Amino acid sequence: MRVPLHRFFVDALNHFGLAPTQLAPNGWRIMAGFIVLCRSAGVPPSLAVFRRFFLLSALPHKHQKGWYYFQPRSKGRSGLRFTGLPESIKGWKRGFFFLYSPTAWPCPVEWGKPSKSSLVDPVLSAEDEAAAAKLLSAQGASSIDLRKYLCIRNLAEAGIS
């Protein structure tokens, strides 16, 4: 996560009703990878297109209630393939810090729970369908290794700085 938040991050957090702190690190990696891929494919990042490929899920552990991440939608469906996500990032919660802003945050700051309507399959416009097809063709048959793809240069070029 980088501040100020990229507009796509703000849109996603508002859509799901989540505070930035509720999203696990791999959730941020997936969203950043999507933004960088959109930039390289020449399409604007669209929440509907993102939701066509990824599903918001709650972390399964009962002691981690309220935490969320993104996972690819059904495996049988053609989709974006990101690799390079760590299985575990031990101690990542110790890296929390507090930010103060004299202006209101553009997204929720209190922890919330996604509404059922925010989790339904998105309806894509013709423009969104074309963008999704362009992202898939830009990716090709290979998966994208986020460990290499999310370098400083790619993030800066995508406006995530």
Side-chain angles (χ1 to χ4, degrees):
M1 181 186 116
R2 308 223 179 191
V3 288
L5 293 175
H6 187 281
R7 183 77 226 162
F8 176 78
F9 294 157
V10 171
D11 291 346
L13 292 169
N14 281 321
H15 174 79
F16 292 112
L18 299 178
T21 53
Q22 286 185 266
L23 206 52
N26 281 344
W28 287 103
R29 284 184 182 94
I30 293 284
M31 286 198 305
F34 178 79
I35 292 170
V36 171
L37 180 62
C38 285
R39 189 216 167 268
S40 68
V43 299
S46 157
L47 184 58
V49 174
F50 177 80
R51 291 179 51 236
R52 185 258 188 238
F53 294 118
F54 298 99
L55 177 67
L56 181 73
S57 298
L59 286 177
H61 309 293
K62 64 181 177 183
H63 65 279
Q64 294 179 332
K65 194 171 179 142
W67 297 93
Y68 294 89
Y69 68 102
F70 292 106
Q71 65 179 3
R73 286 201 179 258
S74 67
K75 305 268 189 230
R77 195 170 164 185
S78 175
L80 299 178
R81 291 179 304 282
F82 290 149
T83 62
L85 295 167
E87 294 280 327
S88 173
I89 308 171
K90 296 209 181 279
W92 63 271
K93 292 177 195 165
R94 286 179 279 182
F96 268 70
F97 56 92
F98 294 92
L99 291 177
Y100 170 78
S101 174
T103 60
W105 277 79
C107 60
V109 291
E110 299 292 327
W111 280 35
K113 185 175 178 183
S115 66
K116 289 184 193 255
S117 64
S118 72
L119 302 175
V120 298
D121 285 351
V123 176
L124 299 183
S125 66
E127 184 179 314
D128 287 335
E129 289 285 359
K134 196 167 183 182
L135 289 173
L136 287 172
S137 68
Q139 179 189 7
S142 61
S143 58
I144 296 171
D145 185 345
L146 292 179
R147 289 174 294 204
K148 297 174 185 169
Y149 199 62
L150 294 179
C151 65
I152 297 295
R153 183 174 143 246
N154 285 350
L155 290 169
E157 288 176 358
I160 305 171
S161 58

